[in-house]
Amino acid sequence: MNFNQLVAEICAAFEKDAVDSNQIKTLLNGYTSKREEWNKYAIFDEKQCTYTRNLVHRGNGKFNLLILCWGPNACTNVHDHPGASCFVKVLKGDLMETKFNFPEDGADRRLAPLVKIDEETCKENEVTFIDDSMGVHRMENPSHSEPAVSLHLYCPPYAECSMFDQRTSKKHIGKISFWSEYGTVSKDRCNSNA
């Protein structure tokens, strides 16, 4: 299967009333990354060692498909996925995922560090998954010299998420934006940190 076929198969899976997450994982696992197939969507911010969010497909209102491009040491904030499932397939390089318990809400809660529950490095062509029932996470490129690229599927799509200070669990809201859409750099090139 090539990249365009993968996108078409994902679209077909989301035509059904109920989406089978195991089917999505199988589709993502069934694709072997070939840079020439997805490279037009892989737009980096060459001026900063950060990451970019590049829209590949807006879906049918049920999902967004993005390619994230990670400069050396690029890292997200610790964040949630409000009511959404998040599938990640590494297309190039490695990504380290650190999962934390979801911070407890409540006015009387004292600020305390997030509790780390897992950390693993995802290699090229591996797939990982998270939703809010599993906690919150941070993704990062552990390489000091090499970029990384990953494919992200969010279902349903969302416009903002909660971000958390790892030291205090303090929450703030971040807006989601795209560095590029369909291979063209966006006029409003700001990037969220989630």
Side-chain angles (χ1 to χ4, degrees), residues 40-43 52-56 66 178-186:
K40 80 174 203 174
Y41 303 107
I43 302 174
T52 59
R53 297 168 46 84
N54 303 285
L55 183 68
V56 173
L66 300 127
F178 305 121
W179 184 257
S180 72
E181 296 186 22
Y182 316 111
T184 303
V185 175
S186 302

Side-chain angles (χ1 to χ4, degrees), residues 151-194:
L151 180 67
H152 295 241
L153 189 152
Y154 302 102
C155 57
Y158 51 91
E160 60 184 33
C161 67
S162 297
M163 299 181 198
F164 302 92
D165 184 310
Q166 184 178 343
R167 296 164 298 152
T168 66
S169 300
K170 188 172 180 179
K171 176 172 83 170
H172 69 278
I173 303 299
K175 302 278 186 199
I176 304 299
S177 62
F178 305 121
W179 184 257
S180 72
E181 296 186 22
Y182 316 111
T184 303
V185 175
S186 302
K187 291 177 185 175
D188 176 28
R189 294 185 347 184
C190 64
N191 216 22
S192 77
N193 290 322

Side-chain angles (χ1 to χ4, degrees), residues 7 14 26 32 48 54 68 79 87 95 98 103 112 118 124 128 135 144 148 150 168 175:
V7 173
F14 279 91
T26 299
T32 301
Q48 298 182 27
N54 303 285
L68 274 64
H79 61 280
F87 299 85
L95 285 180
T98 307
D118 189 32
E124 190 169 308
T128 186
H144 300 295
S150 54
T168 66
K175 302 278 186 199

Side-chain angles (χ1 to χ4, degrees), residues 106-125:
D108 61 344
R109 182 177 63 86
R110 291 199 170 130
L111 294 179
L114 292 174
V115 176
K116 183 164 66 169
I117 54 176
D118 189 32
E119 184 173 273
E120 69 177 303
T121 299
C122 301
K123 304 285 187 190
E124 190 169 308
N125 286 311

Side-chain angles (χ1 to χ4, degrees), residues 18 36 46 62-63 67 71 77 81 90 97 105 117 130 157 186 192-193:
E36 64 274 9
E46 299 295 341
K62 294 182 180 178
F63 73 96
I67 284 186
N77 286 315
H81 301 87
V90 179
E97 179 181 35
D105 287 326
I117 54 176
I130 191 169
S186 302
S192 77
N193 290 322

Side-chain angles (χ1 to χ4, degrees), residues 128-140:
T128 186
F129 171 84
I130 191 169
D131 64 25
D132 287 349
S133 72
M134 301 166 67
V136 295
H137 76 166
R138 175 182 59 231
M139 299 290 289
E140 61 190 289

